[in-house]
Amino acid sequence: MDNRPIGVFDSGLGGLSVIKELNRVLSEENIIYFGDTGRVPYGTRSADTIVKYARQDERFLLSHDVKLIIAACGTVSSVASFTAKELPVPFIEVVTPAAKAAVEATKNGKIGVLGTSATVNSGSYKNKILETDPSVTVVQNACPLFVQLVEAGWIARDDEVTVATAVRYLNPLIEAGVDTVILGCTHFPAIKDIIGDIMGDKVTLINSGEQAAKAAVKYLNEHDLRGSGGKRRYFVSDRAESFASIAGILLGSDIENDVEMINIDSFGG
Ligand code: DGL
């Protein structure tokens, strides 16, 4: 039994796709979430900046004595996973579990990957898929505007702007005939209905946040690290109010009183 919290971080709201799944399967665990809302997006930045931000986010979570860190961010997982070696606690990223799930799901051997520019440029999902099964064809597309649309809360299934943006981003995947699509940025599950409507119901969507949460459950079980308490605390690096209202919609519960703002710059340079 280990009642220390699980630490989860992302550039903003995206990592809540991991929290949503953790709430379902690990509701009894204590969880600390950090959303770097003052510096979102990460996915258009240089590798050096993403690594610097990731290290600060990890230090913040360690200051809360977490027992496990989940990088609930495709961009950090793609570019800064090596920082795990510097940590005194185990680390779970989102790329490996999602890539494996996609290889298991595809029937025609054609997988689409949607992510941020940094994620797509890193080739992280593609490499992991090809490591698992070299015969698969991978079609990637960077969708940076999705991050902004989700942060703005434009996530309704019939939102005209988000639907039009998605049509444009998904076209290359439809043309390539993929039967499986990895939502390789944790922000994207927030608009999975829109993506699903455009791709059609024969296409399987792999939610990277959900897969990472499953990997975390497996890790905690195998290492006898399960705990209890069920507390949730959310921290952000800019205004708590706007985060809380959209987070409430994504999680389906009111978290207004559980969100605090911190100064992330005080966690190392
Ligand atoms: N949610 C993140 C990801 O999974 C980051 C998006 C961003 O900040 O650009 O890539």
Side-chain angles (χ1 to χ4, degrees):
M1 198 76 172
D2 187 335
N3 291 337
R4 288 177 298 162
I6 299 171
V8 181
F9 75 96
D10 178 47
S11 62
L13 291 157
L16 296 177
S17 55
V18 174
I19 300 292
K20 202 169 174 185
E21 181 65 7
L22 290 178
N23 283 347
R24 209 174 62 77
V25 291
L26 285 182
S27 58
E28 69 287 1
E29 291 287 339
N30 296 312
I31 298 177
I32 302 267
Y33 183 85
F34 175 63
D36 199 358
T37 52
R39 306 191 294 196
V40 65
Y42 281 9
T44 50
R45 297 181 192 272
S46 69
D48 282 352
T49 302
I50 296 164
V51 169
K52 176 183 152 189
Y53 289 176
R55 285 197 172 113
Q56 287 180 319
D57 302 347
E58 288 158 4
R59 279 187 212 118
F60 166 70
L61 292 175
L62 289 173
S63 76
H64 281 271
D65 192 26
V66 295
K67 62 182 169 185
L68 167 78
I69 289 181
I70 305 179
C73 173
T75 304
V76 167
S77 302
S78 298
V79 177
S81 266
F82 69 89
T83 60
K85 289 198 236 72
E86 302 157 10
L87 300 173
V89 296
F91 176 89
I92 291 200
E93 46 82 32
V94 301
V95 173
T96 311
K100 291 202 171 129
V103 170
E104 273 167 34
T106 185
K107 294 199 173 64
N108 72 1
K110 292 181 187 165
I111 297 175
V113 175
L114 303 175
T116 64
S117 306
T119 296
V120 165
N121 291 339
S122 78
S124 58
Y125 285 99
K126 186 172 180 180
N127 295 339
K128 201 48 92 180
I129 290 167
L130 295 178
E131 235 172 65
T132 316
D133 183 350
S135 71
V136 169
T137 302
V138 182
V139 184
Q140 307 188 90
N141 205 11
C143 314
L145 292 177
F146 279 168
V147 177
Q148 310 286 4
L149 292 166
V150 171
E151 288 290 325
W154 294 18
I155 55 177
R157 199 169 186 161
D158 60 353
D159 186 287
E160 284 170 21
V161 175
T162 308
V163 171
T165 308
V167 167
R168 191 140 160 189
Y169 279 146
L170 297 173
N171 233 351
L173 274 59
I174 294 171
E175 275 170 16
V178 302
D179 73 350
T180 303
V181 174
I182 298 181
L183 308 180
C185 167
T186 53
H187 277 75
F188 301 174
I191 51 166
K192 68 174 185 322
D193 289 342
I194 294 177
I195 295 171
D197 287 345
I198 296 165
M199 293 307 299
D201 55 13
K202 292 203 174 62
V203 172
T204 306
L205 302 183
I206 305 290
N207 178 334
S208 56
E210 197 178 294
Q211 295 302 323
K214 285 186 183 148
V217 178
K218 188 163 180 274
Y219 187 92
L220 294 179
N221 285 341
E222 284 173 1
H223 294 82
D224 205 13
L225 282 173
R226 291 288 288 265
S228 67
K231 258 204 215 109
R232 302 285 179 271
R233 291 180 75 187
Y234 300 87
F235 295 88
V236 289
S237 53
D238 209 323
R239 287 180 60 237
E241 302 76 21
S242 48
F243 174 87
S245 66
I246 303 172
I249 299 170
L250 293 176
L251 293 173
S253 61
D254 183 3
I255 61 161
E256 207 98 5
N257 296 325
D258 307 320
V259 187
E260 288 165 55
M261 190 175 137
I262 56 132
N263 174 13
I264 192 64
D265 281 323
S266 65
F267 291 88

